[in-house]
Amino acid sequence: MTDFRSDNTCGIHPAVMDAIQKANTGTDSSYGADGYSVELKKRLSDLFEKEVSIWLTNTGTAANSLALSSLVKPFQSVICHQNSHINTDECAAPEFFTSGARLYAVKGENGKMDLSQLQHYLNHTKDLRPHTSIPVCISVTQATECGTVYSLNELQKIAEFAKKNALSIHMDGARFANALTTLQCTPAEMTWKSGVDVLSLGGTKNGAMMAEVIVFFNQNLTTDFDFRHKRAGQLMSKMRFMACQWLALLENNLWINNALQANNRAKKLADIFQKYQFTLPWPVESNAVFVSLPKNIADALIADNIQFYDWHSDISPLYRFVTSCFTTEADLQSLEKSLDRMVISYDGLH
Amino acid sequence: MTDFRSDNTCGIHPAVMDAIQKANTGTDSSYGADGYSVELKKRLSDLFEKEVSIWLTNTGTAANSLALSSLVKPFQSVICHQNSHINTDECAAPEFFTSGARLYAVKGENGKMDLSQLQHYLNHTKDLRPHTSIPVCISVTQATECGTVYSLNELQKIAEFAKKNALSIHMDGARFANALTTLQCTPAEMTWKSGVDVLSLGGTKNGAMMAEVIVFFNQNLTTDFDFRHKRAGQLMSKMRFMACQWLALLENNLWINNALQANNRAKKLADIFQKYQFTLPWPVESNAVFVSLPKNIADALIADNIQFYDWHSDISPLYRFVTSCFTTEADLQSLEKSLDRMVISYDGLH
Amino acid sequence: MTDFRSDNTCGIHPAVMDAIQKANTGTDSSYGADGYSVELKKRLSDLFEKEVSIWLTNTGTAANSLALSSLVKPFQSVICHQNSHINTDECAAPEFFTSGARLYAVKGENGKMDLSQLQHYLNHTKDLRPHTSIPVCISVTQATECGTVYSLNELQKIAEFAKKNALSIHMDGARFANALTTLQCTPAEMTWKSGVDVLSLGGTKNGAMMAEVIVFFNQNLTTDFDFRHKRAGQLMSKMRFMACQWLALLENNLWINNALQANNRAKKLADIFQKYQFTLPWPVESNAVFVSLPKNIADALIADNIQFYDWHSDISPLYRFVTSCFTTEADLQSLEKSLDRMVISYDGLH
Amino acid sequence: MTDFRSDNTCGIHPAVMDAIQKANTGTDSSYGADGYSVELKKRLSDLFEKEVSIWLTNTGTAANSLALSSLVKPFQSVICHQNSHINTDECAAPEFFTSGARLYAVKGENGKMDLSQLQHYLNHTKDLRPHTSIPVCISVTQATECGTVYSLNELQKIAEFAKKNALSIHMDGARFANALTTLQCTPAEMTWKSGVDVLSLGGTKNGAMMAEVIVFFNQNLTTDFDFRHKRAGQLMSKMRFMACQWLALLENNLWINNALQANNRAKKLADIFQKYQFTLPWPVESNAVFVSLPKNIADALIADNIQFYDWHSDISPLYRFVTSCFTTEADLQSLEKSLDRMVISYDGLH
């Protein structure tokens, strides 16, 4: 079985598992007052070159929605890309956690928001006060749901737009490490130096069991956040087992190495598809490869025990292959061999 | 350090840790479609002698509030004991998850609801339709926050009261195993045979890392529950690592043995306190011991590195000591020795 | 001053005012148990040729949002036109009243939803269960925000689509009478015979002081609705003064005559604009006329004390002129005279 | 028929009705931009000797809940008397409008909160951060639901308690005028000079058709309130007909005279009951009289076409008689005659 379905079908990185085991000695204060949680806050402050406040959650959905609830009031709205996870995959969790705030979805190529059409709308909403819900926040997904990565320059432009329009910025970083590796910049540059107020920092897709961190760069937003976190059922009692996962990821740069390996495998995967001249709708800049495959090819791959997701595109058949730090050369070879065989057997593929 | 603060300051039971590690091989379907989750549903159906539907959460707060959201509409209310966890310790999470339903807290000795005063109120609310929020559900905590346990007979009376008044029943079973061990009855008898519709089945306080299960005995309530679970940020991607914890607890009756050990230690703890004639306000029927201590004794214990919680009672100084499956004879001896020394040094204790 | 700003800038129709005064004798039961409210339910049941349940509200926002709250759960969504009032003008009230349900806005010419693109999306959402919010309801605006009217045939197609996809139907009838007059059909044909489950029946824009009625054709939806209505702050104590307004509108077909007069004036308004070859983007089928005017013409009209709204179109300057039962021939003549003068003075208008 | 059921079963005061009619000329800006609304803000600022911000609602439920939503976050709570309208008669509307904040109900004689027990609880909640919902606001009902009135001295003590504990103060003034008349103080003294931040100023029970005003004395709280008001479905289009009602009440001190008349009638009512030595549990300080009547007397009164409410007391049969500005001497005489007859016929009444 070769599994390219998602970077969440894999297990826990051995070093993370090891950390959980090591944390399992004696008793410790519950609800985040443990030593691991305290240490993690320090380590992340160092990493981001800024005093940050952090809260751990068990899912990206909770991280994103809780983060947004600190940025937007129930009668306001959040600008996001129409393909963003908060818009398509979180079952109205943002509305739930924010007590009813609205998402304002915009289009844009390569999974990146096109803000150029937005200025007119924003100006207009001010005239409509209080008849319409006014955007006060932008949520940026880095890396995007299309596997692309906003450049620092692009993030800067969003920051300028946000500043001009008094919008705060949330970053959905479920695949933060994958993007960081691609940009080869510092975590600070990709976040608060690019105007980000709150980050959902994903660990689960990068080798953790489950450990997402809400990272606040703007301390003004955190006054009441411990109440929100508790009220949302996210204040886990044995929090040390959450915090230790991220400590392990940070140790020896494991999180970067994991992302690097996943990204590299994705690039090779893209090469393989391109060798057979399949179309890749978006540049491969992180660990997800989207590819247009004829349905018979897709079916044949499945028959060969290669797993991946049908992306249900409106247009043509589109499939998603995702790599992780667990993806091996052997996985790639399985896919390549399978494709090789088909090209021969189907002869004149397209 | 001797830790009686809570049954959540301890770690993960070795067998549970072992199970997490064993589950960490290869890839598996995410979001609860994995083999462990499927198996757990089967195992719990066997255990409860009934086809159940289950959902896993990372905290008891999420389990309780999500369970309640399936039983009560936003304009209705839930009857609970005034000391219940949902009323005092979950920061209005029930209101959050139910979109605004109200808790109607009642008093009652030994942490158990006294329903005798309630009939008049319930009759009255019907006259007040639609001016007042009408209770449609009772939430029973088993074992209670006072460390006591409802007898099967008491549960039966609640069930009759509920049936007569068309109320559903939720059971907060954060310490379900501790109660079950005390009653020496079957899980079925303590739940659906006693009218319980939904159970929050706690694992975290009984040796798990974090694993609470919402168990539905009434399938009519589950139609949309997967959406609620997802929307609440509780649909974890690597769910196998949640399910495997409970599979380990069920293996070889570990969950019962853990509870039994905790309960036994609590009984001994109570004996120790009674030896010195300290007052225990409530019978010790599970793994929590509440005791009235003179403040100087409490302070001296703390100085002796014995940890426990000040229960902030309105009346007299009250302290809570909780045991777990990790509590050792040595822990008890530390406490006893400490008390011994004080009795001698303080001479004429009270 | 000639006022074409909206059909809500005018006052109360004399017959409605008269009814309020007549209702003002002696005491009556409060909270809708009065004789007028009882009578209104009977009269509307007769009108719609079906036993209906009704609730009165003070605004269309409350009527629409409350109606939707009976059709959609917090984790579900509502399909609507992107120009619909619930989408653009109610400040996330639908999200508020439904506890967080989402609007799924679709495009479509002439302010009417184009459902043809929707089937693929609906099929797809089922695969995404429970990761995405699933539409369970369509909200149709009749007459539309563009001043157009769905034909019975078009409503029938929506009904078929809804039935096929298990969607309920809400109708925003803020200008229900204006549409009904245009279609020259029965209220039953335009509602439940076209699959409508709940109607927001507008009175305010048709001569009432403030009186919107939520009309349920599907009694299964009303079990708890009195609680929702109360909880939303809409259970007015002196309800007779709300009900009597609609009784007056129904008396002698006043509501239809009011709508007819407004619609006729709008048609004449359209004729005037077309005489000068201004572009009307949408057919004039109710009491709103949208027209593209050069900005200098618009400014000159304003200078002539003619009031109307700038519609802030993305494309070209677009203005809205609305008529009501209070709009007079003199109003139309003022406009025409004003335009006449400009055409002469500006010479070569475009 | 003699109606003592409530001060909301009566009609509209002639002067208010007259004002509505006079406002019904020509067109005016909608949504509160009309001249009447602007004038009302000015008049109320004069009345309260302070620049106030105001919003009109159609019910007291909406006024109270909306006001609270500006004072309390979803995870916080509001202290109120257990008999307060928000606690017993508004069907969880406060929870709805505040997105889930909790009411913390306290007891107290004569319908007035006894804050003496509260300090311990408030201190304690701070230790429980973030596990429990923390009170940040007190809601005071003036006049109370028991027909009593807080003295200025009592209000001052609440203000001191609030200040000491960083609590804001909301006043439910559904019967504000009745209380004001009793205290014979200025509106300023009974509100912001007594620490009140927001007032729900009732007009409906004092002669209006429906017109409650949310009055903000603290401008910091109003930044976003127009959005809340709109989102709650309370931004009525023909707002002038709401504002003109309160302008009429203020004209020639009508609101005070109305309250005075109601209060005086209530006093006489109390005298009548006391003449027959019936027990009045609470002092009669506004326009509500509560009286313990033997059930046969109550039944006989009803048979005599005298209407009033059974108060469903837990203890003994308790009935509520409410007067309004419409209550006449003849109404009182009917009651007295009826009682006279009974005393003779039943002979040896108790």
Side-chain angles (χ1 to χ4, degrees):
Chain A
M1 194 70 89
T2 307
D3 192 343
F4 294 112
R5 287 180 294 177
S6 178
D7 35 8
N8 63 29
T9 60
C10 61
I12 306 168
H13 190 280
V16 175
M17 180 58 94
D18 207 45
I20 295 176
Q21 259 184 307
K22 281 197 181 129
N24 194 26
T25 63
T27 68
D28 206 334
S29 295
S30 45
Y31 299 119
D34 62 278
Y36 299 86
S37 297
V38 173
E39 174 70 12
L40 181 57
K41 176 176 170 9
K42 239 178 74 188
R43 295 285 296 277
L44 287 174
S45 293
D46 289 348
L47 182 74
F48 284 103
E49 304 167 43
K50 195 180 217 271
E51 175 83 9
V52 298
S53 292
I54 64 165
W55 279 268
L56 282 150
T57 71
N58 62 336
T59 64
T61 297
N64 285 335
S65 296
L66 262 175
L68 290 175
S69 77
S70 69
L71 296 174
V72 62
K73 289 178 182 167
F75 42 82
Q76 299 173 333
S77 55
V78 177
I79 296 162
C80 63
H81 192 276
Q82 68 171 3
N83 292 348
S84 64
H85 208 258
I86 58 173
N87 194 41
T88 65
D89 284 274
E90 299 186 352
C91 197
E95 284 88 340
F96 177 43
F97 283 77
T98 62
S99 301
R102 187 176 280 192
L103 301 184
Y104 187 81
V106 298
K107 297 192 178 187
E109 295 203 351
N110 296 333
K112 301 180 190 175
M113 287 179 286
D114 176 7
L115 299 181
S116 69
Q117 306 296 328
L118 215 53
Q119 192 62 57
H120 176 83
Y121 173 73
L122 286 178
N123 295 343
H124 183 33
T125 58
K126 268 148 213 167
D127 295 338
L128 290 178
R129 176 184 182 113
H131 293 273
T132 207
S133 172
I134 293 183
V136 297
C137 171
I138 297 184
S139 180
V140 183
T141 310
Q142 178 80 320
T144 77
E145 296 294 320
C146 295
T148 57
V149 171
Y150 287 93
S151 69
L152 282 188
N153 191 37
E154 287 169 327
L155 290 177
Q156 208 54 50
K157 276 185 187 150
I158 292 175
E160 280 158 22
F161 182 88
K163 196 167 183 187
K164 186 179 158 201
N165 290 285
L167 307 166
S168 61
I169 301 182
H170 163 252
M171 180 174 278
D172 176 355
R175 296 185 180 93
F176 185 85
N178 301 93
L180 193 68
T181 307
T182 296
L183 291 192
Q184 295 191 299
C185 66
T186 66
E189 284 168 338
M190 205 167 86
T191 55
W192 62 273
K193 289 185 177 174
S194 292
V196 174
D197 295 283
V198 193
L199 165 69
S200 302
L201 175 60
T204 311
K205 292 177 195 297
N206 198 24
M209 172 180 160
M210 72 182 88
E212 310 293 292
V213 196
I214 305 172
V215 183
F216 280 91
F217 304 107
N218 181 343
Q219 301 298 325
N220 295 331
L221 300 167
T222 63
T223 323
D224 293 319
F225 201 75
D226 50 348
F227 290 107
R228 292 195 183 276
H229 185 247
K230 167 71 189 180
R231 185 176 79 120
Q234 289 293 336
L235 185 53
M236 291 159 272
S237 54
K238 299 182 180 175
M239 195 65 97
R240 59 173 143 158
F241 299 112
M242 299 293 290
C244 75
Q245 296 180 51
W246 254 101
L247 287 174
L249 286 176
L250 294 175
E251 196 68 27
N252 298 322
N253 236 17
L254 178 62
W255 72 311
I256 295 300
N257 293 334
N258 281 353
L260 196 59
Q261 177 157 346
N263 286 9
N264 285 340
R265 299 279 193 251
K267 271 195 208 86
K268 287 193 183 166
L269 201 51
D271 290 345
I272 294 170
F273 286 126
Q274 283 169 326
K275 189 177 97 185
Y276 300 102
Q277 300 181 320
F278 294 120
T279 306
L280 277 60
W282 303 302
V284 175
E285 296 171 350
S286 58
N287 64 323
V289 180
F290 294 84
V291 59
S292 293
L293 294 178
K295 191 157 185 328
N296 54 1
I297 296 286
D299 290 345
L301 287 175
I302 291 164
D304 267 5
N305 280 324
I306 294 170
Q307 297 178 292
F308 51 93
Y309 284 154
D310 184 344
W311 212 242
H312 299 277
S313 162
D314 297 19
I315 324 155
S316 62
L318 186 66
Y319 301 93
R320 190 188 75 169
F321 292 71
V322 181
T323 56
S324 78
C325 60
F326 287 92
T327 304
T328 61
E329 282 295 326
D331 291 330
L332 298 177
Q333 285 162 11
S334 291
L335 177 76
E336 192 163 18
K337 240 191 290 182
S338 195
L339 282 172
D340 265 343
R341 199 156 5 98
M342 284 167 215
V343 171
I344 291 161
S345 60
Y346 290 115
D347 185 35
L349 193 63
H350 302 288
Chain B
M1 195 69 87
T2 307
D3 192 342
F4 295 110
R5 286 178 294 176
S6 178
D7 34 9
N8 62 28
T9 59
C10 61
I12 307 169
H13 190 279
V16 174
M17 180 57 94
D18 207 44
I20 295 176
Q21 259 185 305
K22 280 194 182 131
N24 193 25
T25 64
T27 70
D28 206 334
S29 295
S30 46
Y31 299 120
D34 62 279
Y36 299 85
S37 296
V38 173
E39 175 70 11
L40 181 58
K41 177 178 170 6
K42 239 178 73 187
R43 293 286 296 279
L44 287 174
S45 293
D46 289 347
L47 181 76
F48 283 102
E49 307 168 43
K50 195 176 218 264
E51 175 84 9
V52 298
S53 293
I54 63 166
W55 278 269
L56 284 151
T57 70
N58 62 336
T59 63
T61 296
N64 285 335
S65 295
L66 261 175
L68 290 174
S69 77
S70 69
L71 296 173
V72 63
K73 289 177 182 166
F75 42 82
Q76 298 174 333
S77 57
V78 176
I79 296 162
C80 64
H81 191 278
Q82 69 172 5
N83 292 348
S84 64
H85 208 257
I86 57 173
N87 194 42
T88 64
D89 285 274
E90 299 185 353
C91 198
E95 284 86 342
F96 176 42
F97 283 76
T98 63
S99 301
R102 188 177 279 192
L103 301 184
Y104 186 81
V106 299
K107 298 192 176 187
E109 294 203 350
N110 295 333
K112 300 179 189 175
M113 286 179 285
D114 177 7
L115 299 181
S116 69
Q117 306 297 328
L118 216 51
Q119 192 62 57
H120 175 83
Y121 173 72
L122 286 178
N123 296 343
H124 184 34
T125 58
K126 269 149 212 165
D127 295 338
L128 290 179
R129 177 185 181 111
H131 293 274
T132 206
S133 172
I134 293 183
V136 297
C137 171
I138 297 184
S139 180
V140 183
T141 309
Q142 179 77 325
T144 76
E145 295 295 321
C146 295
T148 57
V149 172
Y150 287 93
S151 69
L152 282 188
N153 190 38
E154 287 169 328
L155 290 178
Q156 208 55 52
K157 277 186 185 148
I158 291 175
E160 281 158 23
F161 182 87
K163 198 170 183 185
K164 189 179 156 198
N165 290 287
L167 307 166
S168 60
I169 301 182
H170 164 252
M171 181 174 276
D172 176 355
R175 295 186 180 95
F176 185 84
N178 301 92
L180 193 69
T181 307
T182 296
L183 292 193
Q184 294 191 301
C185 66
T186 67
E189 285 169 338
M190 206 166 86
T191 55
W192 62 273
K193 289 185 177 174
S194 291
V196 174
D197 295 283
V198 193
L199 166 69
S200 303
L201 176 59
T204 311
K205 291 177 195 299
N206 197 24
M209 173 178 159
M210 74 183 84
E212 311 292 295
V213 197
I214 305 172
V215 183
F216 280 90
F217 304 107
N218 181 343
Q219 300 299 322
N220 295 330
L221 300 168
T222 62
T223 323
D224 293 319
F225 201 76
D226 49 347
F227 290 106
R228 290 194 184 278
H229 184 247
K230 168 70 190 181
R231 185 176 78 121
Q234 288 294 335
L235 185 53
M236 292 159 270
S237 53
K238 300 182 180 174
M239 194 66 94
R240 58 172 146 160
F241 298 111
M242 299 294 289
C244 74
Q245 295 180 51
W246 253 101
L247 287 174
L249 286 176
L250 293 174
E251 195 69 25
N252 298 321
N253 236 16
L254 179 62
W255 72 311
I256 295 300
N257 293 334
N258 281 355
L260 197 59
Q261 177 158 344
N263 286 9
N264 285 340
R265 299 278 193 252
K267 270 194 208 88
K268 287 195 183 165
L269 200 52
D271 290 345
I272 293 170
F273 286 125
Q274 282 169 330
K275 191 176 98 184
Y276 299 102
Q277 301 180 317
F278 293 121
T279 305
L280 276 58
W282 303 303
V284 175
E285 295 171 352
S286 59
N287 64 324
V289 179
F290 292 83
V291 59
S292 293
L293 293 178
K295 192 155 181 332
N296 56 359
I297 295 287
D299 290 346
L301 287 176
I302 291 163
D304 267 5
N305 280 323
I306 294 169
Q307 297 178 292
F308 51 93
Y309 283 153
D310 184 342
W311 212 242
H312 298 278
S313 161
D314 297 17
I315 323 157
S316 63
L318 186 66
Y319 301 93
R320 191 188 76 167
F321 292 72
V322 182
T323 56
S324 78
C325 60
F326 287 92
T327 304
T328 61
E329 282 296 327
D331 291 330
L332 298 177
Q333 284 162 11
S334 292
L335 177 75
E336 193 163 15
K337 240 191 289 184
S338 195
L339 283 172
D340 266 344
R341 198 153 8 99
M342 286 169 214
V343 171
I344 289 160
S345 60
Y346 290 116
D347 185 35
L349 193 64
H350 303 285
Chain C
M1 196 69 86
T2 307
D3 191 343
F4 294 110
R5 286 179 295 177
S6 178
D7 33 10
N8 63 28
T9 61
C10 61
I12 307 169
H13 190 279
V16 174
M17 181 57 96
D18 207 44
I20 295 176
Q21 258 184 307
K22 280 194 182 130
N24 193 25
T25 64
T27 69
D28 206 335
S29 295
S30 46
Y31 299 120
D34 62 280
Y36 299 85
S37 297
V38 172
E39 175 69 12
L40 181 59
K41 177 178 169 7
K42 239 179 74 188
R43 294 285 296 279
L44 286 175
S45 293
D46 289 348
L47 181 75
F48 283 103
E49 306 168 42
K50 195 176 221 267
E51 176 83 11
V52 298
S53 292
I54 63 165
W55 278 269
L56 283 151
T57 70
N58 62 336
T59 64
T61 297
N64 284 335
S65 296
L66 262 175
L68 290 174
S69 77
S70 70
L71 297 172
V72 63
K73 289 178 182 167
F75 41 83
Q76 298 173 333
S77 57
V78 176
I79 296 161
C80 63
H81 192 277
Q82 69 171 4
N83 292 349
S84 64
H85 207 258
I86 57 172
N87 194 42
T88 64
D89 285 275
E90 299 186 353
C91 197
E95 285 87 340
F96 176 42
F97 283 76
T98 63
S99 302
R102 188 177 278 191
L103 302 183
Y104 187 81
V106 298
K107 298 192 176 185
E109 295 203 348
N110 296 333
K112 300 179 189 176
M113 287 178 285
D114 177 6
L115 300 180
S116 69
Q117 307 296 327
L118 215 51
Q119 192 62 58
H120 175 82
Y121 173 72
L122 285 178
N123 296 343
H124 183 35
T125 59
K126 269 148 211 166
D127 295 338
L128 290 180
R129 176 184 183 113
H131 293 273
T132 207
S133 173
I134 293 182
V136 297
C137 171
I138 296 184
S139 180
V140 183
T141 309
Q142 179 77 324
T144 76
E145 296 294 321
C146 295
T148 58
V149 172
Y150 286 94
S151 70
L152 282 189
N153 190 39
E154 286 169 327
L155 289 178
Q156 207 54 50
K157 276 187 188 151
I158 291 175
E160 281 158 23
F161 182 87
K163 198 170 182 184
K164 188 180 156 198
N165 289 286
L167 307 166
S168 60
I169 301 181
H170 163 252
M171 182 175 275
D172 176 356
R175 296 186 180 94
F176 185 85
N178 302 91
L180 193 69
T181 307
T182 296
L183 292 193
Q184 294 192 300
C185 66
T186 66
E189 285 169 337
M190 206 166 86
T191 55
W192 62 272
K193 288 185 177 175
S194 292
V196 174
D197 295 283
V198 193
L199 166 69
S200 302
L201 175 60
T204 310
K205 291 177 194 300
N206 197 24
M209 172 179 161
M210 73 183 85
E212 311 292 295
V213 197
I214 305 173
V215 183
F216 279 91
F217 304 107
N218 181 343
Q219 301 297 324
N220 296 329
L221 299 168
T222 62
T223 323
D224 293 319
F225 200 76
D226 50 348
F227 291 105
R228 290 195 184 277
H229 184 247
K230 168 70 189 181
R231 185 176 78 121
Q234 288 293 336
L235 185 53
M236 291 159 272
S237 54
K238 300 181 179 175
M239 194 66 95
R240 58 173 146 160
F241 298 112
M242 299 293 290
C244 74
Q245 296 180 52
W246 253 101
L247 288 173
L249 286 177
L250 293 174
E251 196 68 27
N252 298 323
N253 236 17
L254 178 63
W255 72 310
I256 296 298
N257 292 335
N258 281 354
L260 197 58
Q261 176 157 344
N263 287 7
N264 285 340
R265 299 277 192 253
K267 271 195 208 83
K268 288 195 183 165
L269 202 51
D271 290 345
I272 293 170
F273 286 125
Q274 283 169 327
K275 192 176 96 185
Y276 299 103
Q277 300 181 315
F278 294 121
T279 305
L280 277 58
W282 304 301
V284 174
E285 296 171 350
S286 58
N287 64 324
V289 180
F290 292 82
V291 59
S292 293
L293 294 177
K295 192 156 184 328
N296 56 358
I297 295 287
D299 289 346
L301 287 175
I302 291 164
D304 266 5
N305 280 324
I306 294 170
Q307 297 177 292
F308 51 93
Y309 283 154
D310 183 342
W311 212 241
H312 297 278
S313 163
D314 297 18
I315 323 156
S316 62
L318 186 67
Y319 301 93
R320 191 187 77 168
F321 293 72
V322 182
T323 56
S324 77
C325 61
F326 286 92
T327 305
T328 61
E329 282 295 329
D331 291 330
L332 298 177
Q333 285 162 12
S334 292
L335 177 75
E336 193 164 13
K337 238 189 292 181
S338 195
L339 283 172
D340 265 345
R341 200 156 3 102
M342 286 169 214
V343 172
I344 291 161
S345 60
Y346 290 115
D347 185 35
L349 193 64
H350 302 286
Chain D
M1 196 69 88
T2 308
D3 192 343
F4 294 110
R5 287 179 294 177
S6 178
D7 35 8
N8 63 29
T9 60
C10 60
I12 306 169
H13 191 279
V16 175
M17 181 58 95
D18 208 45
I20 295 177
Q21 260 184 306
K22 282 196 182 128
N24 193 26
T25 63
T27 68
D28 207 333
S29 295
S30 45
Y31 300 119
D34 62 279
Y36 299 84
S37 297
V38 172
E39 175 70 12
L40 181 57
K41 177 177 169 10
K42 238 178 74 187
R43 294 285 296 277
L44 288 175
S45 293
D46 289 348
L47 182 74
F48 284 103
E49 306 167 42
K50 195 179 217 266
E51 175 83 8
V52 297
S53 293
I54 63 166
W55 279 270
L56 283 150
T57 71
N58 63 336
T59 64
T61 297
N64 285 334
S65 296
L66 261 174
L68 290 175
S69 77
S70 69
L71 296 173
V72 61
K73 289 179 183 167
F75 42 83
Q76 299 173 334
S77 56
V78 176
I79 296 162
C80 63
H81 192 276
Q82 69 171 2
N83 292 348
S84 64
H85 207 259
I86 58 172
N87 194 41
T88 65
D89 285 272
E90 299 186 353
C91 197
E95 284 87 340
F96 177 41
F97 284 76
T98 62
S99 302
R102 186 176 281 191
L103 301 184
Y104 186 81
V106 299
K107 298 193 177 186
E109 295 203 349
N110 296 333
K112 301 179 189 175
M113 287 179 285
D114 176 8
L115 299 182
S116 69
Q117 307 297 327
L118 216 53
Q119 192 61 59
H120 176 82
Y121 173 73
L122 286 178
N123 295 342
H124 184 32
T125 58
K126 269 150 211 164
D127 295 338
L128 290 179
R129 178 184 182 114
H131 293 273
T132 207
S133 172
I134 293 183
V136 298
C137 171
I138 296 184
S139 179
V140 182
T141 309
Q142 178 79 321
T144 77
E145 295 296 319
C146 296
T148 57
V149 171
Y150 286 94
S151 69
L152 282 188
N153 189 39
E154 288 170 327
L155 290 179
Q156 208 54 51
K157 276 185 186 150
I158 292 175
E160 281 159 22
F161 182 87
K163 196 166 183 188
K164 187 179 157 201
N165 289 285
L167 307 166
S168 61
I169 301 181
H170 163 251
M171 181 174 277
D172 176 355
R175 297 185 179 94
F176 185 85
N178 302 93
L180 193 69
T181 307
T182 296
L183 291 193
Q184 296 191 298
C185 65
T186 67
E189 283 168 339
M190 205 167 85
T191 55
W192 61 273
K193 288 185 176 173
S194 291
V196 174
D197 295 283
V198 193
L199 165 69
S200 302
L201 175 60
T204 311
K205 292 177 194 298
N206 198 24
M209 171 180 162
M210 72 182 89
E212 310 293 292
V213 197
I214 305 172
V215 183
F216 280 91
F217 305 106
N218 181 343
Q219 302 298 325
N220 295 331
L221 300 168
T222 63
T223 323
D224 293 318
F225 201 75
D226 49 348
F227 291 106
R228 291 194 182 277
H229 184 247
K230 168 70 189 180
R231 186 177 78 119
Q234 290 293 335
L235 184 53
M236 291 159 272
S237 54
K238 300 181 180 175
M239 195 65 97
R240 60 172 143 158
F241 298 112
M242 298 293 291
C244 74
Q245 296 181 51
W246 254 101
L247 288 174
L249 286 177
L250 293 174
E251 195 69 27
N252 298 322
N253 236 16
L254 179 62
W255 72 310
I256 295 300
N257 293 334
N258 280 353
L260 196 59
Q261 178 157 345
N263 286 8
N264 286 339
R265 298 281 193 249
K267 271 194 207 85
K268 287 194 183 166
L269 200 52
D271 290 345
I272 293 170
F273 286 126
Q274 282 169 327
K275 189 176 99 184
Y276 298 103
Q277 299 180 319
F278 294 120
T279 307
L280 276 59
W282 302 303
V284 175
E285 297 171 351
S286 59
N287 63 325
V289 180
F290 293 83
V291 59
S292 292
L293 294 178
K295 191 156 185 326
N296 55 1
I297 295 287
D299 289 346
L301 287 176
I302 290 164
D304 268 5
N305 279 325
I306 294 169
Q307 296 178 294
F308 51 93
Y309 283 154
D310 184 344
W311 212 243
H312 298 278
S313 162
D314 297 18
I315 323 156
S316 62
L318 186 66
Y319 301 94
R320 191 188 74 168
F321 293 71
V322 181
T323 56
S324 78
C325 60
F326 287 92
T327 304
T328 61
E329 282 296 325
D331 291 330
L332 299 177
Q333 285 161 12
S334 291
L335 176 75
E336 192 162 16
K337 240 192 288 183
S338 194
L339 282 172
D340 266 342
R341 199 156 4 99
M342 284 168 215
V343 171
I344 290 160
S345 60
Y346 290 115
D347 186 35
L349 192 64
H350 304 286

